[in-house]
Amino acid sequence: MKLFERAGPLTQELRLAPGGFGLGQVLERERPDATTTMTCGYCSTGCGLSVHLRNGAAVGLTPATEYPVNLGMACPKGWEALEVLKAPDRAAVPLLRNDRGQLEPINWPTALRVFVARFRAIQAEYGNDAVAFLSTGQIMTEEMALLGALAKFGMGMIHGDGNTRQCMATSVVAYKQSFGFDAPPYTYADLEESDVLVFVGSNLCVAHPILWQRVLRNPHRPEIIVVDPRKTETAMQATDHFAIRPKSDLALFYGLARLLIERDWIDRDWVAAHTNSYKEFAAFVAPFTIERVASDTGIDADRIERLAQTIHEGRRVSFWWTMGVNQSYEGTRTAQSLVNLALLTGNIGRPGTGANSITGQCNAMGSRLFSNTTSLFGGRDFENADDRTEVARILEIDERRIPDQNSWAYPEIISGILKGKIKGLWVIATNPAHSWINQSQLGEILDRLEFLVVQDMYHTTETARRADLVLPAAAWGEKDGTFINSERRYGLAKKVARAPGVALADFSIFKLVAEAWGVGPMFRRWESPAATFQILKHLSRGRPCDITGIRDYQMLDDLGGVQWPFTAEQERATDGGATADPATHRRLFADGLFYHPDGRARFIFENPRPMPEPPTSAYPLLLLTGRGTAAQWHTQTRTNKSAVLRKLSPRNPYVELNPTDARRLGIAQNEPVLVESQRGSIAARAYVTPVVAAGQVFIPMHYETVNQLTDAVFDPYSRQPSYKACAVRVRRASACPP
Ligand SMILES: Nc1nc2c(c(=O)[nH]1)N[C@H]1C(S)=C(S)[C@@H](COP(=O)(O)OP(=O)(O)OC[C@H]3O[C@@H](n4cnc5c(=O)[nH]c(N)nc54)[C@H](O)[C@@H]3O)O[C@H]1N2
Ligand SMILES: Nc1nc2c(c(=O)[nH]1)N[C@H]1C(S)=C(S)[C@@H](COP(=O)(O)OP(=O)(O)OC[C@H]3O[C@@H](n4cnc5c(=O)[nH]c(N)nc54)[C@H](O)[C@@H]3O)O[C@H]1N2
Ligand code: SF4
Ligand SMILES: [Mo]
């Protein structure tokens, strides 16, 4: 079979990827045996990894000692990052489902012809909005931007969302409403500069191990407070652990606000100068008496008082949260209840302070600014005519190509498929057939699609196995571009290895699709990732995320990444960044000015709501889900390809069960059990441990079956799935009829 057919402009694009030279290889050509530093492609910490090259190819890596994020450290995933590129199930050629229902290799020109013909036919029959895309926080910023522009301005789609909905949507909405822009305010140095750190629903030791190392470098003997129903690895190392009842966070933080206000432990001047709606907030929290909060959270009243006192006595208090907050039916208000505490006590804008959402995926922050999904490029609004005009001018496109309505969020796209409104779906770098909530429904829903395209680095993912067309993608290490980490730092990833077969960088695939769709000329300026980065700079100008001061990739390389904002004026003032300390100097809100038109932050609050599916007599246990080990990444398509990482984590699904519950149920350590919810039943081994409280169980999200159990419930503002609370029962497998 001829994989590369001569096909006019396509061949030029094809040269872009497998054989072409990337940044790492260019460097190597100039300096044989070079080492080049690049950002890790797993988590949002964004560690720098030094990749060692021989003859234009990576031969190994070590954590970068000079990079301001990780200071010479990396977790096992980072160390093993090159290994997982070599797996035999890499998607190396396009695959098309044939008449017998099997995926069969085809060449790129055929793949592109089928892609265009099928999606165009669906659009002709049902309308442009009958085709949608689901993308990701795990490809380069330049790739996300090109996809967002191509799908919406080129192909006429209206609906497109990403796996960041599963993850960060709550923080996005919380920040937008409270601060006026989606802007995590901190730098990692704050982890070392706080004297009180409060971690809420965040298992840093497992999920962000290098950030935990930064905490350990804190010289101020800090109080480390962990609020998590489980006694996690992080809780075990904390100075104090509040094992609250799941989803009682709102009550706790409103109760703390009440105590701080009542004792006049707040920064009245700062609140008066920089916030709105304080009076209403103070009145709102009045009923959250300590007795009520103690009864809602299961935490003793005197411990709650002591916590308020610790926050009061801290000179530099920082509040950090992750999925225990975001993945909840009331996640947005919970995140804002932490923002409110930082505002009340004036703990924002100074070193060691902040209301700090820790991101998840390597480039979730890139997708928040530039994926063109639910917000228009640069955190703009599709429904705002001025925003559309500005973007059209910068991109030199006809303004009418920009949709004047917002995209459906991920759950609406899924229900759109169910209702027959969405008939074609393009899935890029995400694995919803494992990770989306309530899989007992999702399988049937995906079956309703007339055409499913999956673009992935492996052809064996749960979602790729269902696809009609698989497009083989190059991975981290096989392409160039930027990621934005949790502290808003742009970091560079580089091509240091060849992609297998005819797999192409996502960027090149999008360029080919543009040509095949007939909108190639619209993307002439988007010639390469580096050229696209210049377009992103224009899109950022004058926005809170302004990066007009970052000259080019070389500057990112020289400085060890650069945090946004970095304006042209800042660039001049710091002599091209040379006199700035890249590790610390871009903390937000030092001037107390927020992004709302009046410059003030807002207190936002709402009464807690009942848990949608509380335990009952039939399903008496509450299921929590989340990360299992530092060696497992999400749906494990990557991490299960490394022998080292496989050794560091349990192969098969297990359920953490408290010893009291195990005794009551007659379940022994490591015994096979069934875990059942109203939606499904899965097999697991019992891991009897006091880490999980009585009445609760925990299953890591890394096992394919876990979302058979979860309940499709969402936060009303962010539309983020509530992955961390549904009712289940656990039984001995041997006691169940076959
Ligand atoms: N090793 C590894 N690291 C990762 C990832 C990975 O898959 N593997 N994924 C990355 C991504 S995308 C993300 S989003 C982050 C996630 O990072 P984390 O959010 O830290 O990880 P989770 O385990 O999902 O959830 C954190 C904690 O929330 C707790 N929790 C559950 N319900 C509640 C509640 O009601 N209140 C409170 N206060 N806590 C609750 C759980 O017990 C759990 O310990 O990790 C990133 N890092
Ligand atoms: N029950 C439960 N479910 C959860 C969670 C939970 O806590 N509990 N957490 C949720 C969260 S926070 C998240 S972020 C999601 C993650 O859910 P997913 O995004 O579905 O998980 P990943 O395994 O990261 O999937 C990424 C896919 O992209 C592919 N890939 C990697 N690099 C590239 C690339 O460069 N190009 C292309 N084209 N493909 C690539 C990988 O092979 C993989 O198939 O899961 C969510 N699901
Ligand atoms: S902590 Fe995150 S960014 Fe750092 S090496 Fe591990 S996975 Fe990569
Ligand atoms: Mo995530």
Side-chain angles (χ1 to χ4, degrees):
M1 182 191 44
K2 246 165 77 192
L3 291 168
F4 284 95
E5 228 173 51
R6 286 224 157 261
L10 297 186
T11 40
Q12 184 204 340
E13 303 296 347
L14 288 170
R15 266 195 284 120
L16 265 175
F21 277 94
L23 292 176
Q25 292 176 318
V26 168
L27 182 93
E28 201 280 336
R29 273 193 306 179
E30 287 161 8
R31 284 193 284 139
D33 303 339
T35 289
T36 187
T37 295
M38 55 197 265
T39 308
C40 175
Y42 282 102
C43 90
S44 63
T45 304
C47 296
L49 302 174
S50 292
V51 177
H52 312 292
L53 305 166
R54 284 264 191 295
N55 301 325
V59 289
L61 65 78
T62 45
T65 47
E66 303 296 315
Y67 203 71
V69 167
N70 50 314
L71 316 166
M73 300 174 279
C75 84
K77 294 185 296 302
W79 278 102
E80 282 293 289
L82 292 168
E83 285 310 304
V84 306
L85 303 177
K86 301 171 190 162
D89 62 339
R90 283 296 301 272
V93 292
L95 301 170
L96 180 65
R97 198 165 294 283
N98 62 21
D99 298 341
R100 281 162 289 126
Q102 290 153 343
L103 284 171
E104 186 178 84
I106 52 168
N107 60 26
W108 270 111
T110 309
L112 292 162
R113 265 196 302 275
V114 173
F115 180 101
V116 171
R118 295 292 301 269
F119 278 156
R120 275 203 187 279
I122 289 172
Q123 288 187 323
E125 188 169 350
Y126 307 102
N128 280 355
D129 58 349
V131 174
F133 68 95
L134 288 176
S135 91
T136 186
Q138 295 179 65
I139 57 177
M140 312 296 170
T141 318
E142 295 78 358
E143 297 179 325
M144 292 172 179
L146 176 55
L147 168 64
L150 166 66
K152 292 205 166 173
F153 312 153
M155 299 167 69
M157 291 189 212
I158 293 170
H159 305 303
D161 201 6
N163 61 6
T164 40
R165 181 74 45 188
Q166 295 162 294
C167 182
M168 286 300 145
T170 288
S171 293
V172 172
V173 177
Y175 279 140
K176 269 193 188 166
Q177 293 180 344
S178 296
F179 296 162
F181 196 79
D182 172 24
Y186 58 96
T187 93
Y188 291 157
D190 290 320
L191 293 164
E192 297 176 20
E193 290 173 357
S194 288
D195 52 15
V196 177
L197 299 110
V198 183
F199 290 100
V200 183
S202 175
N203 190 3
L204 220 60
C205 292
V206 162
H208 302 90
I210 300 308
L211 293 187
W212 181 254
Q213 295 302 315
R214 297 292 299 265
V215 174
L216 295 182
R217 288 165 49 96
N218 185 315
H220 307 292
R221 300 170 55 83
E223 290 290 326
I224 302 173
I225 288 148
V226 169
V227 179
D228 193 310
R230 293 163 62 226
K231 195 166 180 66
T232 59
E233 293 80 349
T234 316
M236 287 176 205
Q237 303 201 46
T239 45
D240 211 351
H241 171 213
F242 290 80
I244 60 168
R245 284 208 185 98
K247 308 298 162 272
S248 65
D249 305 64
L250 260 188
L252 177 65
F253 301 128
Y254 290 152
L256 284 174
R258 178 185 189 274
L259 273 175
L260 293 168
I261 292 170
E262 191 179 74
R263 308 216 165 139
D264 205 15
W265 285 347
I266 66 173
D267 190 339
R268 285 192 182 276
D269 294 342
W270 195 91
V271 169
H274 301 296
T275 68
N276 267 327
S277 45
Y278 164 72
K279 270 207 187 105
E280 293 82 348
F281 180 58
F284 168 82
V285 295
F288 288 86
T289 60
I290 198 149
E291 297 74 26
R292 169 176 170 187
V293 175
S295 124
D296 285 358
T297 57
I299 305 288
D300 291 345
D302 60 323
R303 290 193 66 213
I304 298 170
E305 295 222 20
R306 274 211 306 282
L307 179 54
Q309 184 148 8
T310 305
I311 291 172
H312 165 58
E313 285 169 359
R315 283 172 303 112
R316 296 165 161 203
V317 184
S318 53
F319 300 90
W320 308 82
W321 77 86
T322 321
M323 289 308 116
V325 168
N326 284 5
Q327 291 173 340
S328 153
Y329 56 90
E330 54 190 9
T332 302
R333 293 295 176 255
T334 309
Q336 287 166 330
S337 71
L338 290 165
V339 172
N340 295 342
L341 289 178
L343 296 178
L344 268 186
T345 52
N347 272 304
I348 198 147
R350 289 182 292 115
T353 66
N356 305 333
S357 150
I358 305 171
T359 318
Q361 307 169 66
C362 53
N363 202 17
M365 291 288 288
S367 94
R368 285 154 77 160
L369 291 178
F370 288 116
S371 65
N372 214 29
T373 50
T374 46
S375 64
L376 180 59
F377 286 129
R380 293 180 177 85
D381 187 354
F382 280 101
E383 294 184 342
N384 180 316
D386 293 341
D387 282 357
R388 292 197 303 274
T389 309
E390 193 177 27
V391 168
R393 182 180 51 73
I394 297 168
L395 298 183
E396 295 168 11
I397 60 169
D398 183 344
E399 191 176 326
R400 285 165 304 181
R401 284 196 167 266
I402 303 185
D404 59 4
Q405 54 174 295
N406 281 322
S407 165
W408 282 343
Y410 201 140
E412 282 66 48
I413 292 177
I414 299 298
S415 64
I417 303 171
L418 182 66
K419 292 179 193 144
K421 294 207 166 129
I422 303 258
K423 301 281 191 181
L425 188 68
W426 184 11
V427 175
I428 303 108
T430 184
N431 188 10
H434 173 145
S435 62
W436 189 243
I437 201 159
N438 192 0
Q439 292 288 332
S440 62
Q441 272 176 344
L442 191 75
E444 281 167 43
I445 294 176
L446 292 178
D447 285 345
R448 289 174 181 241
L449 286 167
E450 289 185 8
F451 193 53
L452 172 63
V453 179
V454 175
Q455 183 168 320
D456 204 285
M457 61 185 283
Y458 302 106
H459 63 79
T460 49
T461 75
E462 289 91 341
T463 315
R465 292 201 304 260
R466 307 185 83 99
D468 299 299
L469 177 66
V470 176
L471 302 179
W476 170 91
E478 297 164 349
K479 55 185 181 175
D480 300 331
T482 60
F483 293 139
I484 311 177
N485 78 356
S486 275
E487 55 164 358
R488 313 181 317 284
R489 181 182 302 275
Y490 280 78
L492 206 50
K494 302 173 187 176
K495 179 171 176 178
V496 292
R498 275 185 73 123
V502 293
L504 294 174
D506 293 285
F507 190 89
S508 308
I509 299 176
F510 302 142
K511 288 283 283 179
L512 287 173
V513 168
E515 291 290 346
W517 197 271
V519 292
M522 200 191 251
F523 299 98
R524 282 284 130 80
R525 278 168 61 210
W526 307 59
E527 194 187 340
S528 62
T532 301
F533 183 74
Q534 298 302 325
I535 299 175
L536 302 184
K537 279 169 60 178
H538 288 301
L539 286 165
S540 79
R541 188 187 307 277
R543 309 288 303 164
C545 55
D546 191 323
I547 47 157
T548 49
I550 306 179
R551 230 173 15 255
D552 50 19
Y553 281 178
Q554 188 62 50
M555 181 170 175
L556 288 176
D557 221 15
D558 294 345
L559 293 182
V562 177
Q563 287 174 279
W564 67 254
F566 192 60
T567 62
E569 294 75 57
Q570 281 169 306
E571 195 257 351
R572 280 191 292 274
T574 57
D575 196 13
T579 58
D581 176 356
T584 55
H585 88 293
R586 267 179 295 282
R587 180 180 295 110
L588 303 179
F589 310 132
D591 52 6
L593 273 181
F594 293 86
Y595 300 115
H596 284 299
D598 63 2
R600 287 162 175 270
R602 299 197 177 142
F603 287 98
I604 299 176
F605 44 87
E606 185 175 327
N607 268 313
R609 288 184 293 128
M611 197 180 283
E613 192 183 71
T616 57
S617 52
Y619 297 95
L621 300 166
L622 191 75
L623 170 67
L624 309 177
T625 64
R627 275 74 199 155
T629 67
Q632 287 163 298
W633 180 257
H634 292 164
T635 71
Q636 299 203 83
T637 65
R638 283 194 269 175
T639 45
N640 73 8
K641 306 293 152 49
S642 145
V644 172
L645 298 180
R646 280 198 307 270
K647 271 196 196 128
L648 294 174
S649 54
R651 261 321 51 215
N652 297 312
Y654 63 92
V655 51
E656 291 181 1
L657 186 67
N658 184 274
T660 327
D661 292 322
R663 246 188 324 272
R664 189 172 45 80
L665 297 165
I667 293 171
Q669 186 66 279
N670 209 26
E671 186 171 348
V673 295
L674 291 180
V675 186
E676 297 164 309
S677 77
Q678 286 194 53
R679 293 155 294 280
S681 165
I682 72 167
R685 293 267 176 177
Y687 175 31
V688 180
T689 168
V691 157
V692 68
Q696 297 165 30
V697 293
F698 175 83
I699 307 179
M701 66 157 299
H702 311 297
Y703 305 102
E704 183 181 348
T705 48
V706 64
N707 281 316
Q708 309 269 338
L709 302 172
T710 49
D711 188 15
V713 169
F714 307 92
D715 177 276
Y717 307 103
S718 69
R719 310 300 293 142
Q720 179 157 342
S722 184
Y723 283 113
K724 289 182 170 25
C726 73
V728 296
R729 64 178 170 229
V730 180
R731 305 195 270 171
R732 301 168 62 202
S734 59
C736 302

